[in-house]
Amino acid sequence: MRKRNKFKHGVYLLLALAMLLYALPKLSLANGPGWVFGFGVVWSLFAFMVIAAHLHFIIGVDEEKTKRLEAVRKAKLEQWQSKWKEETRVTQRS
């Protein structure tokens, strides 16, 4: 399932890049301040954000973060279990 998701995000990334490369020369960014210039800047920033989001997923930053969080969860669980076992031993001795 992971490879299919990465493939899907790869296709979307390529589509976003193609859209940006097609539209960037047509956007009027040389007129200076104004509505047309503002639209071009906002549209370009949005396209770059979409591209960055897909790259973030493809590179697998989320996977690394998930692995680190899982390691923390395991350590906390082991700590809780050892504390619980110790408390159980103390109660049984009493």
Side-chain angles (χ1 to χ4, degrees):
M1 189 68 176
R2 272 286 192 212
K3 287 187 180 185
R4 184 174 178 195
N5 268 347
K6 284 194 177 191
F7 177 75
K8 180 177 74 169
H9 283 280
V11 170
Y12 291 154
L13 172 68
L14 290 175
L15 287 173
L17 281 171
M19 180 181 68
L20 182 66
L21 291 175
Y22 176 77
L24 209 52
K26 297 179 186 298
L27 291 173
S28 179
L29 298 175
N31 292 344
W35 289 105
V36 176
F37 177 77
F39 173 79
V41 169
V42 170
W43 192 91
S44 299
L45 289 174
F46 178 71
F48 283 121
M49 284 176 34
V50 169
I51 291 167
H54 289 296
L55 276 175
H56 183 268
F57 185 84
I58 290 171
I59 292 172
V61 176
D62 288 338
E63 291 175 14
E64 295 170 10
K65 188 176 181 180
T66 304
K67 287 179 184 177
R68 282 186 276 153
L69 287 174
E70 189 61 34
V72 169
R73 283 187 198 112
K74 284 182 181 180
K76 284 185 177 182
L77 179 64
E78 289 173 2
Q79 183 182 16
W80 179 79
Q81 286 176 340
S82 65
K83 184 179 177 182
W84 183 75
K85 285 179 184 178
E86 186 178 315
E87 288 176 0
T88 307
R89 286 184 203 147
V90 169
T91 354
Q92 287 177 352
R93 291 180 186 168
S94 301

